[in-house]
Amino acid sequence: MSARISIARPASGGYTPDPHGFANSRPSAGYRAANPDDPLEKLRNLARTVEDNIDIYTQPLKPHLPAIGRFLIVSTFLEDSWRIVTQWSDQLWYLQRHRHFPWGLSHMFLMLNVITMLVGSAGVIGKKYSELAVGGLLGVVIVQAFGYGLIFDLNFFLRNLSVIGGLFMVFSDSMFTRKKIFAGLPSLSENDRKKYFLLAGRVLLIFLFIGFMIRGSWTIARVFVSIIGLAACIMVAIGFKAKWSASFLVVTLSIFNVFINNWWSVNTKHPQRDFLKYDFFQTLSIVGGLILLVNMGPGGLSVDEKKKTY
């Protein structure tokens, strides 16, 4: 029912505060104040408090987060290049004996991997030619998967998807505007490319945790951590409270990495040491990607961003 409009004429000719009768003394039926005792409202307040505390306590680190994240992302490549150099004869033996590489090709394969990983890692850390550096490191991930015959190893596959997600986060962080090469051809703007790479990076980063869930023996503690971690992974993937959930995964994966992949406590001649060391540095790489997500935010294709427009 529409409001009645009337013109009030004061008898004395003085000032009338509401000459058109727009004032309405009745309470509005369309808005209700939030109930502080509502469990959902309490959960929202808790989430806001956690986010505020994260912003407060990470403020001194904020200027350094991109550098820390980039270094951690390439740590697995630096460790892998060091492993190849220090285990050169063992690597050659494996490629020639089990992968049937010809003598010269095995040497070239290892040399190209080491050079690409060192140069690409330096480019990522120094923010020099980041697109080429990320492309080179992505090439290493793909070539090694086929070269070492690990493409069908599920755990290796999931972990490397997460490493690729970390590299996508680096690419998003380094995104810059490029001039059109050919006038008239359709092209994505910097912001469009950045939000798509951020979405891909967010989704791929969570595969490490999925790999953790499907391997090993199950205990009550493992089930509890897996449920909470899976919820945080879903939140990261869809971009809901992304900074909070990514921060939670950074802490969880860091603790898990130190206590489970403690390669330094294993004898240097034990074969398990290399496997633990490999897992340790790959997990560090994914933690670096999550740190970049905390620093940059989830991007345009996320629930957090959509909520700002409604």
Side-chain angles (χ1 to χ4, degrees):
M1 184 176 178
S2 59
R4 184 179 63 184
I5 299 177
S6 62
I7 299 178
R9 295 178 180 273
S12 60
Y15 170 73
T16 302
D18 184 27
H20 300 293
F22 288 155
N24 187 359
S25 59
R26 292 176 298 175
S28 171
Y31 173 78
R32 293 171 59 188
N35 181 9
D37 296 325
D38 182 12
L40 190 58
E41 187 62 28
K42 288 182 178 180
L43 188 60
R44 289 196 190 100
N45 290 333
L46 177 62
R48 281 193 291 267
T49 302
V50 171
E51 287 180 337
D52 291 342
N53 286 331
I54 290 173
D55 286 337
I56 291 170
Y57 290 110
T58 59
Q59 196 65 35
L61 284 175
K62 265 192 175 299
H64 309 290
L65 286 181
I68 294 172
R70 283 168 170 270
F71 177 77
L72 291 179
I73 285 171
V74 300
S75 62
T76 186
F77 297 101
L78 295 173
E79 189 276 331
D80 197 28
S81 60
W82 176 254
R83 182 202 304 266
I84 291 175
V85 170
T86 55
Q87 300 178 0
W88 186 262
S89 57
D90 293 336
Q91 297 281 336
L92 287 175
W93 178 85
Y94 176 82
L95 290 174
Q96 293 169 9
R97 180 72 179 271
H98 295 278
R99 300 301 299 162
H100 309 294
F101 274 56
W103 183 84
L105 185 60
S106 60
H107 291 72
M108 186 179 298
F109 177 82
L110 293 178
M111 287 178 62
L112 285 176
N113 271 273
V114 170
I115 293 171
T116 305
M117 286 190 289
L118 291 177
V119 173
S121 298
V124 168
I125 294 172
K127 301 182 74 171
K128 301 291 186 181
Y129 305 104
S130 292
E131 289 184 334
L132 293 176
V134 169
L137 294 177
L138 282 173
V140 167
V141 173
I142 297 170
V143 167
Q144 284 193 356
F146 286 98
Y148 286 99
L150 298 171
I151 188 65
F152 298 112
D153 185 311
L154 182 59
N155 183 45
F156 177 86
F157 181 72
L158 293 175
R159 282 178 169 274
N160 276 278
L161 283 180
S162 291
V163 172
I164 291 172
L167 291 173
F168 279 0
M169 299 302 292
V170 171
F171 189 79
S172 302
D173 186 49
S174 306
M175 200 71 73
F176 59 91
T177 304
R178 282 164 41 170
K179 297 179 180 179
K180 294 182 181 178
I181 301 176
F182 300 104
L185 291 180
S187 61
L188 289 174
S189 68
E190 175 190 356
N191 288 334
D192 288 335
R193 289 189 300 148
K194 185 172 182 177
K195 68 184 182 182
Y196 286 120
F197 274 102
L198 272 171
L199 173 63
R202 292 199 325 262
V203 173
L204 291 175
L205 278 173
I206 69 173
F207 280 97
L208 171 74
F209 201 87
I210 295 174
F212 161 73
M213 288 177 58
I214 64 176
R215 66 172 185 155
S217 57
W218 287 94
T219 61
I220 295 177
R222 184 184 179 88
V223 171
F224 179 74
V225 172
S226 296
I227 291 173
I228 296 177
L230 182 61
C233 287
I234 294 172
M235 291 168 68
V236 166
I238 65 175
F240 175 65
K241 301 293 182 184
K243 288 189 176 183
W244 181 88
S245 51
S247 300
F248 171 79
L249 287 176
V250 166
V251 174
T252 303
L253 288 176
S254 298
I255 295 173
F256 160 80
N257 206 23
V258 170
F259 286 98
I260 303 300
N261 295 325
N262 53 344
W263 55 270
W264 52 87
S265 64
V266 180
N267 189 281
T268 54
K269 296 183 179 179
H270 198 290
Q272 186 67 14
R273 179 185 173 94
D274 273 349
F275 289 104
L276 290 175
K277 194 175 183 181
Y278 173 79
D279 285 350
F280 178 85
F281 281 97
Q282 276 218 320
T283 305
L284 274 188
S285 178
I286 292 138
V287 167
L290 290 168
I291 287 175
L292 284 185
L293 176 58
V294 173
N295 181 66
M296 290 187 293
L301 298 176
S302 63
V303 175
D304 288 346
E305 192 66 27
K306 296 299 180 185
K307 283 169 62 180
K308 296 177 181 179
T309 61
Y310 295 104

